[in-house]
Amino acid sequence: YTIEMHIKRSVGDAASIITGTIANGHLTIVDAVKRQLEVFISRADVKDTLGVGTFVFDIQLVDKVTGYAESTPVTTLTVTRGVTHPTP
């Protein structure tokens, strides 16, 4: 399988703001049997790429042999200004 996460402003957007993979360090397989992943988005990505706002994302598993793709449900990610640290 290949595994990708796509973060976008809205579901209909063609381009992803952040594409996460195992190779780029945004995704880590925690337990392959249970299909558990860890998602990592750095502070720099939040501050410099996303900023404050609401985003959507899903994670897609694609079988390298058959090309069959399976996606998680679309999930919402909200970035807000902090109280202690007022910039994201």
Side-chain angles (χ1 to χ4, degrees):
Y1 283 95
T2 59
I3 305 170
E4 289 188 350
M5 171 187 67
H6 298 275
I7 299 176
K8 301 178 177 186
R9 286 247 177 235
S10 64
V11 173
D13 290 354
S16 298
I17 299 169
I18 293 176
T19 298
T21 65
I22 291 170
N24 70 16
H26 286 294
L27 301 176
T28 301
I29 297 173
V30 175
D31 187 324
V33 174
K34 293 181 181 178
R35 299 179 94 179
Q36 293 177 335
L37 291 173
E38 181 176 279
V39 175
F40 175 76
I41 303 171
S42 70
R43 181 171 174 79
D45 281 337
V46 171
K47 183 178 178 190
D48 301 333
T49 305
L50 294 177
V52 172
T54 301
F55 308 89
V56 294
F57 75 94
D58 65 3
I59 297 173
Q60 188 175 65
L61 286 77
V62 180
D63 187 306
K64 291 180 183 181
V65 176
T66 66
Y68 176 76
E70 184 179 353
S71 296
T72 62
V74 174
T75 304
T76 302
L77 166 70
T78 302
V79 178
T80 59
R81 294 197 189 283
V83 174
T84 304
H85 301 283
T87 58

